[in-house]
Amino acid sequence: RPISAEGGATAFKKRAPQRDTLHITRMKNFIRSLLLLIAVIVSTTGAQEEIYAKEGQDITLKPISYPAQSYVYWYFEKQDGHQLAWVNHLGGKGFNEKWKNSLSLTGTSLVIKNLQKGLFGTFFCKITAAGQSDLITVFNVIQKSASPLLSGDNLSLTCSLGSVPQNTPEIYWVSPQGNREGNKGTVDIQARSEHNGQWDCVVKKNGNEKKFPVSVTVVDLAPVPSHLYTSTDSPLTIPCSLISSVTWEQVKKKEIEEVQWHFAPKLSSGTSPDQPQQLFSLDLEKLTWKKNANNGLSPVYYIKNGNLSLTKSKATVEDRGRYTCSMKFKNGRTLETTVDVVVLEIIAHPKTELIYGQQVNLSCSTGEQLPNDMKLNWTSPKTSSSYISYPTHITVPEVGKEDNGKWGCELWQGGNKLTSDEILLKIEPRLSVWMLVIICSAAVILLLLLVLAFIHYRRRKVQFSRSYSFLFNHTDLLVQL
């Protein structure tokens, strides 16, 4: 039977809701399939998150979105390893007996209270739902130092992303100096000054690279050279300071007990005494230095900036020797730096003020025999006469006007000039203008003295003659009476 246009229209209107329902049903199935696909992809690749925390801190591990009707399991160290807690959509939950006092659940999120050393590592969250693949989320909890490390303490860094076994990423650490460190994402070494600064955990996977920075603070003294070279013509600064970015407040947290400077002078035999003398000690409350010996050195007084150096306007040969800067802590550990001060000196014999024709010897020395890889170079005025050169001194047989000026001695090691010293020679003619003036002046003065003496003598003689004549005349008068 043919359907009328009206009837057809009516039939269409009646079937439309059924088609909408079918369309909605298909969309739901498509979305459900898409969610399932996403779940499978996440399960295969593994969602990963890194959390940096300090010991004693509270942290929350929150998994990615999950199906409404699901079971959530939390594991530690490895997938399906030590189960820490579980929760389901029916309200049931449970905790591992060992860690139940440190754990709680907020929904499906795992809360770790007062994080302790044993719980730094990798956590796995597995979400299971009917008809779907397991959804895995991985959390790597990396420890940040709660307080600065003291040089010599154990520095332990771990970076483990807890990936599923397939296509495991390459993990390593990069030190503040840019060096690759560690084995399989783990660094376990004794902390030193070069370890202070930012470390990067580098994760490489599928051609991609990601860095996770961690700041490490190591309380230590900055490295100093074993030998410090200067001369009697140069200032002296003996270095001692905290490494960069370390503050005095951080030093105090490590319970500093004392800071001192000691000095062992270099003896003529080339050795140092068994008992060095104490130069300075630091008052830790007032942050002022107490001087225990007077050798011309002074502290720079930048203690809060970590500078503990000593300084002097000009070095002397008495400054030769070994200097030790030490910081002692209550745990018995001591940080110290030691430097040997080498002072170069030029000596002129017989003296620096000479006259034409005299012989002069210039010796240059550090007070001890030079190593084989060191040598001395001499410098002289451009117009200087020829001289005889020896390993440690030179001789000018007859000095002249051209030798007047600065003579220098340089200490070299390989291609590096370590230090230099200078001495000024003053050469005068045998009878210089000033000498003639002095001689003439002396002669004139002597002549004047002789003239004055002669005049004085003549006056005395005349006075004596007059007195004698007066006496003679009066005596004659008395005789006549």
Side-chain angles (χ1 to χ4, degrees), residues 4-64:
S4 64
E6 184 180 352
T10 303
F12 178 78
K13 288 180 182 178
K14 290 181 179 179
R15 291 173 184 169
Q18 295 178 357
R19 290 182 181 179
D20 290 343
T21 303
L22 180 60
H23 179 70
I24 293 172
T25 303
R26 288 177 178 175
M27 286 296 296
K28 287 182 177 180
N29 291 335
F30 174 75
I31 293 172
R32 191 176 289 112
S33 300
L34 182 61
L35 290 173
L36 178 60
L37 177 61
I38 293 174
V40 171
I41 292 174
V42 173
S43 178
T44 301
T45 59
Q48 302 168 357
E49 185 176 342
E50 292 72 47
I51 296 176
Y52 299 92
K54 297 179 180 179
E55 191 170 339
Q57 182 179 340
D58 295 348
I59 62 171
T60 300
L61 309 181
K62 185 177 181 180
I64 62 175

Side-chain angles (χ1 to χ4, degrees), residues 154-340:
N154 185 63
L155 171 59
S156 180
L157 298 173
T158 301
C159 185
S160 174
L161 302 184
S163 306
V164 292
Q166 294 84 3
N167 196 16
T168 302
E170 181 185 9
I171 305 173
Y172 59 90
W173 287 92
V174 176
S175 70
Q177 285 72 38
N179 301 322
R180 181 168 172 165
E181 303 282 353
N183 181 29
K184 295 182 180 180
T186 300
V187 172
D188 193 5
I189 54 177
Q190 275 195 336
R192 291 287 181 260
S193 59
E194 61 267 23
H195 302 141
N196 183 72
Q198 179 177 302
W199 288 70
D200 289 320
C201 172
V202 180
V203 180
K204 287 185 176 181
K205 185 176 181 181
N206 298 331
N208 297 320
E209 178 180 297
K210 190 173 183 181
K211 293 183 179 180
F212 304 98
V214 175
S215 179
V216 174
T217 300
V218 181
V219 174
D220 199 0
L221 294 173
V224 298
S226 59
H227 289 76
L228 179 64
Y229 297 91
T230 187
S231 69
T232 54
D233 193 45
S234 305
L236 173 62
T237 297
I238 307 171
C240 180
S241 62
L242 297 172
I243 59 177
S244 60
S245 76
V246 174
T247 65
W248 188 253
E249 292 302 317
Q250 291 172 325
V251 173
K252 289 168 63 177
K253 288 181 180 178
K254 303 306 294 184
E255 297 185 310
I256 183 73
E257 192 172 57
E258 64 182 23
V259 180
Q260 295 180 343
W261 271 103
H262 288 85
F263 172 59
K266 186 71 69 175
L267 303 178
S268 57
S269 60
T271 60
S272 299
D274 295 332
Q275 293 295 331
Q277 64 181 122
Q278 188 183 93
L279 297 180
F280 294 93
S281 57
L282 182 65
D283 186 321
L284 297 175
E285 293 184 2
K286 299 179 181 179
L287 290 185
T288 56
W289 289 100
K290 177 184 177 183
K291 182 181 288 189
N292 300 306
N294 187 13
N295 62 348
L297 287 164
S298 301
V300 296
Y301 285 104
Y302 291 115
I303 299 170
K304 287 188 177 181
N305 294 337
N307 194 343
L308 310 171
S309 304
L310 301 180
T311 186
K312 191 177 185 181
S313 58
K314 274 197 175 182
T316 64
V317 293
E318 287 76 19
D319 297 322
R320 292 170 177 164
R322 177 166 294 179
Y323 294 81
T324 301
C325 173
S326 61
M327 300 177 68
K328 186 178 179 182
F329 295 84
K330 288 186 178 179
N331 62 2
R333 189 169 300 163
T334 300
L335 304 179
E336 66 179 29
T337 59
T338 300
V339 60
D340 289 334

